[in-house]
Amino acid sequence: MVRSYFHLHLVSDSTGETLINVGRAAAAQYEGVSAIEHVYPLVRSGTQLERVINEIEQAPGIVLYTLVGRDLTERLEEACRATGSPVLSVLEPVHRMLQGYLGTHSTARPGAQHMLNAEYFKRIDAMNFTLAHDDGNLPLDLNEADVILLGVSRTSKTPTAIYLANRGLKTTNIPLIPGVPPPAVLETLRQPLIVGLIASPERIVQIRQNRLLSLKADDSSSYVDRDAVANEIATSRRLFARNRWPVIDVTRRSIEETAAAIVDLHREHRLKFIAD
């Protein structure tokens, strides 16, 4: 397949995360087409905007923006018309809907979603907790966790835990090691949501082989033996089933998809916990 490319300019007066996510989600729907991303975060002055416009003039393409200052947005749109670059305010349709429904106007505050409020510090606290409890560390205070991830080696436990921490969930992950029983306290915990992560033996072997290759280590051990890996996964499945812990197969899931499923499970878990 011949792949084509286009320039995608993402202009934000904040971190640019919203635009990056929207742009990538939309571009991913077009096979054979890739975006050359130009990301411009924290654009809050006319001088900064002129530098952005200069780059757009050098490489015209689609322009998405989240600027709240009217003078900046008008200047950007004027420049885009001059270069023939389609331009769109990503948040404007949402603002119009909210204004119509709420009957009030928004207050222009660049980066308002990143203010240092209680939610922000909750995420920082969750991140600190998660990093301190990575790979089975500090098992004595597991009841303080919001989520506990269990799985054999290379089931994406750590990156998933960090992603969940960024969503404000204190997460610990515990590896399931052949011949080593998991902490007995797990079967008595009520507050944390315990989730088992599994993957196909083929996927696990592939990841482990790549891991050993990067470490220049010997790959003849049972660590990458297909039958041994299949047995590890089967054993973990029995553990999860015995304790009625929800299971997520991460074989074909991205970290974001796995985390989204866990967030949904955690919401249901908290409702049951509160009801009890």
PDB file of all heavy atoms in Angstrom, residues 173-192:
ATOM      1  N   ASN A 173       0.880  -3.407  41.248  1.00  0.00           N
ATOM      2  CA  ASN A 173       0.869  -4.594  40.393  1.00  0.00           C
ATOM      3  C   ASN A 173       1.765  -5.658  40.994  1.00  0.00           C
ATOM      4  O   ASN A 173       2.845  -5.358  41.521  1.00  0.00           O
ATOM      5  CB  ASN A 173       1.280  -4.237  38.960  1.00  0.00           C
ATOM      6  CG  ASN A 173       2.754  -3.938  38.822  1.00  0.00           C
ATOM      7  OD1 ASN A 173       3.576  -4.840  38.629  1.00  0.00           O
ATOM      8  ND2 ASN A 173       3.115  -2.664  38.917  1.00  0.00           N
ATOM      9  N   ILE A 174       1.287  -6.882  40.930  1.00  0.00           N
ATOM     10  CA  ILE A 174       1.988  -8.010  41.550  1.00  0.00           C
ATOM     11  C   ILE A 174       2.234  -9.085  40.502  1.00  0.00           C
ATOM     12  O   ILE A 174       1.287  -9.584  39.881  1.00  0.00           O
ATOM     13  CB  ILE A 174       1.162  -8.592  42.714  1.00  0.00           C
ATOM     14  CG1 ILE A 174       0.947  -7.510  43.783  1.00  0.00           C
ATOM     15  CG2 ILE A 174       1.837  -9.825  43.305  1.00  0.00           C
ATOM     16  CD1 ILE A 174       0.041  -7.950  44.918  1.00  0.00           C
ATOM     17  N   PRO A 175       3.498  -9.460  40.274  1.00  0.00           N
ATOM     18  CA  PRO A 175       3.794 -10.503  39.290  1.00  0.00           C
ATOM     19  C   PRO A 175       3.474 -11.885  39.840  1.00  0.00           C
ATOM     20  O   PRO A 175       3.673 -12.150  41.031  1.00  0.00           O
ATOM     21  CB  PRO A 175       5.300 -10.333  39.056  1.00  0.00           C
ATOM     22  CG  PRO A 175       5.814  -9.777  40.347  1.00  0.00           C
ATOM     23  CD  PRO A 175       4.719  -8.895  40.882  1.00  0.00           C
ATOM     24  N   LEU A 176       2.958 -12.730  38.991  1.00  0.00           N
ATOM     25  CA  LEU A 176       2.709 -14.119  39.361  1.00  0.00           C
ATOM     26  C   LEU A 176       3.894 -14.937  38.866  1.00  0.00           C
ATOM     27  O   LEU A 176       4.107 -15.093  37.666  1.00  0.00           O
ATOM     28  CB  LEU A 176       1.402 -14.611  38.743  1.00  0.00           C
ATOM     29  CG  LEU A 176       0.134 -13.872  39.214  1.00  0.00           C
ATOM     30  CD1 LEU A 176      -1.095 -14.425  38.502  1.00  0.00           C
ATOM     31  CD2 LEU A 176      -0.029 -13.972  40.730  1.00  0.00           C
ATOM     32  N   ILE A 177       4.667 -15.463  39.807  1.00  0.00           N
ATOM     33  CA  ILE A 177       5.911 -16.171  39.502  1.00  0.00           C
ATOM     34  C   ILE A 177       5.706 -17.666  39.743  1.00  0.00           C
ATOM     35  O   ILE A 177       5.178 -18.060  40.796  1.00  0.00           O
ATOM     36  CB  ILE A 177       7.059 -15.647  40.382  1.00  0.00           C
ATOM     37  CG1 ILE A 177       7.209 -14.130  40.182  1.00  0.00           C
ATOM     38  CG2 ILE A 177       8.365 -16.376  40.073  1.00  0.00           C
ATOM     39  CD1 ILE A 177       8.169 -13.474  41.148  1.00  0.00           C
ATOM     40  N   PRO A 178       6.086 -18.514  38.801  1.00  0.00           N
ATOM     41  CA  PRO A 178       5.916 -19.961  38.972  1.00  0.00           C
ATOM     42  C   PRO A 178       6.562 -20.452  40.268  1.00  0.00           C
ATOM     43  O   PRO A 178       7.720 -20.129  40.567  1.00  0.00           O
ATOM     44  CB  PRO A 178       6.636 -20.545  37.743  1.00  0.00           C
ATOM     45  CG  PRO A 178       6.559 -19.468  36.723  1.00  0.00           C
ATOM     46  CD  PRO A 178       6.672 -18.181  37.477  1.00  0.00           C
ATOM     47  N   GLY A 179       5.801 -21.202  41.055  1.00  0.00           N
ATOM     48  CA  GLY A 179       6.308 -21.762  42.295  1.00  0.00           C
ATOM     49  C   GLY A 179       6.275 -20.821  43.481  1.00  0.00           C
ATOM     50  O   GLY A 179       6.606 -21.220  44.598  1.00  0.00           O
ATOM     51  N   VAL A 180       5.886 -19.563  43.245  1.00  0.00           N
ATOM     52  CA  VAL A 180       5.825 -18.574  44.326  1.00  0.00           C
ATOM     53  C   VAL A 180       4.372 -18.143  44.518  1.00  0.00           C
ATOM     54  O   VAL A 180       3.787 -17.528  43.622  1.00  0.00           O
ATOM     55  CB  VAL A 180       6.687 -17.334  44.015  1.00  0.00           C
ATOM     56  CG1 VAL A 180       6.577 -16.323  45.161  1.00  0.00           C
ATOM     57  CG2 VAL A 180       8.131 -17.727  43.781  1.00  0.00           C
ATOM     58  N   PRO A 181       3.766 -18.470  45.664  1.00  0.00           N
ATOM     59  CA  PRO A 181       2.360 -18.105  45.857  1.00  0.00           C
ATOM     60  C   PRO A 181       2.200 -16.592  45.995  1.00  0.00           C
ATOM     61  O   PRO A 181       3.082 -15.910  46.532  1.00  0.00           O
ATOM     62  CB  PRO A 181       1.985 -18.810  47.171  1.00  0.00           C
ATOM     63  CG  PRO A 181       3.289 -18.976  47.888  1.00  0.00           C
ATOM     64  CD  PRO A 181       4.317 -19.189  46.827  1.00  0.00           C
ATOM     65  N   PRO A 182       1.112 -16.031  45.486  1.00  0.00           N
ATOM     66  CA  PRO A 182       0.866 -14.591  45.644  1.00  0.00           C
ATOM     67  C   PRO A 182       0.588 -14.290  47.112  1.00  0.00           C
ATOM     68  O   PRO A 182       0.289 -15.198  47.908  1.00  0.00           O
ATOM     69  CB  PRO A 182      -0.365 -14.347  44.776  1.00  0.00           C
ATOM     70  CG  PRO A 182      -1.069 -15.666  44.740  1.00  0.00           C
ATOM     71  CD  PRO A 182       0.010 -16.702  44.773  1.00  0.00           C
ATOM     72  N   PRO A 183       0.690 -13.028  47.531  1.00  0.00           N
ATOM     73  CA  PRO A 183       0.425 -12.670  48.930  1.00  0.00           C
ATOM     74  C   PRO A 183      -0.940 -13.186  49.386  1.00  0.00           C
ATOM     75  O   PRO A 183      -1.953 -12.953  48.733  1.00  0.00           O
ATOM     76  CB  PRO A 183       0.463 -11.140  48.918  1.00  0.00           C
ATOM     77  CG  PRO A 183       1.350 -10.802  47.761  1.00  0.00           C
ATOM     78  CD  PRO A 183       1.071 -11.854  46.724  1.00  0.00           C
ATOM     79  N   ALA A 184      -0.950 -13.887  50.507  1.00  0.00           N
ATOM     80  CA  ALA A 184      -2.190 -14.483  51.012  1.00  0.00           C
ATOM     81  C   ALA A 184      -3.237 -13.437  51.344  1.00  0.00           C
ATOM     82  O   ALA A 184      -4.443 -13.697  51.276  1.00  0.00           O
ATOM     83  CB  ALA A 184      -1.887 -15.334  52.245  1.00  0.00           C
ATOM     84  N   VAL A 185      -2.776 -12.218  51.659  1.00  0.00           N
ATOM     85  CA  VAL A 185      -3.705 -11.157  52.054  1.00  0.00           C
ATOM     86  C   VAL A 185      -4.656 -10.785  50.919  1.00  0.00           C
ATOM     87  O   VAL A 185      -5.743 -10.235  51.169  1.00  0.00           O
ATOM     88  CB  VAL A 185      -2.916  -9.906  52.522  1.00  0.00           C
ATOM     89  CG1 VAL A 185      -2.188  -9.248  51.346  1.00  0.00           C
ATOM     90  CG2 VAL A 185      -3.838  -8.905  53.212  1.00  0.00           C
ATOM     91  N   LEU A 186      -4.300 -11.095  49.679  1.00  0.00           N
ATOM     92  CA  LEU A 186      -5.146 -10.741  48.539  1.00  0.00           C
ATOM     93  C   LEU A 186      -6.554 -11.309  48.684  1.00  0.00           C
ATOM     94  O   LEU A 186      -7.535 -10.669  48.292  1.00  0.00           O
ATOM     95  CB  LEU A 186      -4.518 -11.240  47.232  1.00  0.00           C
ATOM     96  CG  LEU A 186      -3.276 -10.501  46.734  1.00  0.00           C
ATOM     97  CD1 LEU A 186      -2.682 -11.225  45.533  1.00  0.00           C
ATOM     98  CD2 LEU A 186      -3.625  -9.060  46.371  1.00  0.00           C
ATOM     99  N   GLU A 187      -6.655 -12.505  49.240  1.00  0.00           N
ATOM    100  CA  GLU A 187      -7.955 -13.169  49.331  1.00  0.00           C
ATOM    101  C   GLU A 187      -8.842 -12.586  50.420  1.00  0.00           C
ATOM    102  O   GLU A 187     -10.019 -12.937  50.520  1.00  0.00           O
ATOM    103  CB  GLU A 187      -7.752 -14.667  49.544  1.00  0.00           C
ATOM    104  CG  GLU A 187      -6.974 -15.336  48.408  1.00  0.00           C
ATOM    105  CD  GLU A 187      -6.901 -16.836  48.550  1.00  0.00           C
ATOM    106  OE1 GLU A 187      -7.635 -17.388  49.399  1.00  0.00           O
ATOM    107  OE2 GLU A 187      -6.134 -17.463  47.805  1.00  0.00           O
ATOM    108  N   THR A 188      -8.288 -11.677  51.228  1.00  0.00           N
ATOM    109  CA  THR A 188      -9.083 -11.072  52.308  1.00  0.00           C
ATOM    110  C   THR A 188      -9.411  -9.609  52.040  1.00  0.00           C
ATOM    111  O   THR A 188     -10.182  -9.006  52.785  1.00  0.00           O
ATOM    112  CB  THR A 188      -8.327 -11.166  53.648  1.00  0.00           C
ATOM    113  OG1 THR A 188      -7.133 -10.362  53.586  1.00  0.00           O
ATOM    114  CG2 THR A 188      -7.951 -12.608  53.956  1.00  0.00           C
ATOM    115  N   LEU A 189      -8.847  -9.048  50.978  1.00  0.00           N
ATOM    116  CA  LEU A 189      -9.065  -7.634  50.699  1.00  0.00           C
ATOM    117  C   LEU A 189     -10.456  -7.389  50.132  1.00  0.00           C
ATOM    118  O   LEU A 189     -10.943  -8.158  49.319  1.00  0.00           O
ATOM    119  CB  LEU A 189      -8.013  -7.128  49.701  1.00  0.00           C
ATOM    120  CG  LEU A 189      -6.558  -7.153  50.161  1.00  0.00           C
ATOM    121  CD1 LEU A 189      -5.642  -6.691  49.039  1.00  0.00           C
ATOM    122  CD2 LEU A 189      -6.361  -6.283  51.396  1.00  0.00           C
ATOM    123  N   ARG A 190     -11.079  -6.303  50.564  1.00  0.00           N
ATOM    124  CA  ARG A 190     -12.398  -5.947  50.060  1.00  0.00           C
ATOM    125  C   ARG A 190     -12.398  -4.615  49.308  1.00  0.00           C
ATOM    126  O   ARG A 190     -13.121  -4.453  48.342  1.00  0.00           O
ATOM    127  CB  ARG A 190     -13.401  -5.854  51.217  1.00  0.00           C
ATOM    128  CG  ARG A 190     -13.725  -7.191  51.855  1.00  0.00           C
ATOM    129  CD  ARG A 190     -14.791  -7.052  52.926  1.00  0.00           C
ATOM    130  NE  ARG A 190     -16.067  -6.585  52.402  1.00  0.00           N
ATOM    131  CZ  ARG A 190     -16.560  -5.370  52.599  1.00  0.00           C
ATOM    132  NH1 ARG A 190     -15.899  -4.476  53.312  1.00  0.00           N
ATOM    133  NH2 ARG A 190     -17.733  -5.026  52.096  1.00  0.00           N
ATOM    134  N   GLN A 191     -11.598  -3.666  49.800  1.00  0.00           N
ATOM    135  CA  GLN A 191     -11.657  -2.331  49.207  1.00  0.00           C
ATOM    136  C   GLN A 191     -11.058  -2.252  47.808  1.00  0.00           C
ATOM    137  O   GLN A 191     -11.694  -1.708  46.901  1.00  0.00           O
ATOM    138  CB  GLN A 191     -10.966  -1.323  50.124  1.00  0.00           C
ATOM    139  CG  GLN A 191     -10.944   0.095  49.541  1.00  0.00           C
ATOM    140  CD  GLN A 191     -10.531   1.118  50.564  1.00  0.00           C
ATOM    141  OE1 GLN A 191     -10.993   1.104  51.696  1.00  0.00           O
ATOM    142  NE2 GLN A 191      -9.647   2.028  50.166  1.00  0.00           N
ATOM    143  N   PRO A 192      -9.837  -2.760  47.565  1.00  0.00           N
ATOM    144  CA  PRO A 192      -9.274  -2.630  46.215  1.00  0.00           C
ATOM    145  C   PRO A 192      -9.990  -3.528  45.205  1.00  0.00           C
ATOM    146  O   PRO A 192     -10.486  -4.606  45.545  1.00  0.00           O
ATOM    147  CB  PRO A 192      -7.809  -3.084  46.392  1.00  0.00           C
ATOM    148  CG  PRO A 192      -7.564  -3.089  47.856  1.00  0.00           C
ATOM    149  CD  PRO A 192      -8.883  -3.375  48.497  1.00  0.00           C
TER     150      PRO A 192
END
